């Protein structure tokens, strides 16, 4: 158990809908990272927040957005969902600004878009 | 940008030794990490190399050659539970923060 929690574990929704994925980092960690993992694919970095502010961005679609709240939990919002958005979405955390080589991953949210 | 290449799959028998290679192309290099992921589970950190040489952690070792932009993960005394995907990753650090760039992963199958 990494100490990172994610809810929900599974999510099934229809195309065109909007969903929110939630992540709570390890106690004391200030950075939260979001990754997308499609079937048989590697982990694609989406976005990083540090202490409430966006710090790094990957190839995140405009339909996706995220935020980190004062209590450091983070939410990833996915809108106008398409079939291709079906994937595992992982949240990870680290204590620092982003120069850590070790990130702690949550159990993931499996999103299925039908 | 960054890119990493690793074999898509490797098969080995219980008790054997297996090496998973990773080559990378980066605009700036701060170190190579390895993560293990069991089917659909959370990736977990295994090891990290910032400098050339071998780092050993129990049955797992990781090697880095910065001049060759190459590293590998060595797994010894393979056990069935080692069947998993293994990802190499490089850190990309910018003024605004940092992120890990992952390879596509190597699926290791350990046979009895």
């Amino acid at each position: 158990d990494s100490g990172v929690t994610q809810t929900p574990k599974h999510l099934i929704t229809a195309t065109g809908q909007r969903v929110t994925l939630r992540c709570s980092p390890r106690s004391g960690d200030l950075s939260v990272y979001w990754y997308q993992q499609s079937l048989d694919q590697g982990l694609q970095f989406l976005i990083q927040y540090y202490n409430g502010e966006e710090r790094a961005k990957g190839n995140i679609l405009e339909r996706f957005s995220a935020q980190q709240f004062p209590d450091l939990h983070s939410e990833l919002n996915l809108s106008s969902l398409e079939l291709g958005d079906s994937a595992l979405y992982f949240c990870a955390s680290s204590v620092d600004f982003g120069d850590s080589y070790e990130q702690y991953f949550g159990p993931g949210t499996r999103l299925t878009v039908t | 940008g960054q890119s990493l290449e690793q074999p898509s799959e490797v098969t080995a028998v219980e008790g054997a030794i297996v090496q998973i290679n990773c080559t990378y192309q980066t605009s700036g290099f701060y170190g190579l990490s390895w993560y293990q992921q069991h089917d659909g589970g959370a990736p977990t950190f295994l090891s990290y190399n910032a400098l050339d040489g071998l780092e050993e952690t129990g049955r797992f070792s990781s090697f880095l050659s910065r001049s060759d932009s190459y590293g590998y993960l060595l797994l010894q005394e393979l056990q069935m539970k080692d069947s998993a995907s293994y990802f190499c990753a490089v850190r990309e650090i910018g003024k605004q923060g940092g992120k890990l760039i992952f390879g596509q992963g190597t699926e290791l199958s350990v046979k009895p």
Side-chain angles (χ1 to χ4, degrees), chain A residues 9-23:
Chain A
K9 290 190 70 173
H10 301 277
L11 199 50
I12 301 174
T13 189
T15 54
Q17 295 299 303
R18 172 188 169 96
V19 297
T20 297
L21 313 184
R22 182 188 170 103
C23 167

Side-chain angles (χ1 to χ4, degrees), chain A residues 48 55-56 97-99, chain B residues 2 30 91-99:
Chain A
Q48 177 208 359
R55 286 299 184 179
F97 185 67
D99 59 350
Chain B
Q2 323 268 27
Y30 299 94
R91 291 188 295 156
E92 181 176 294
I93 300 174
K95 293 179 180 178
Q96 301 301 318
K99 58 189 179 186

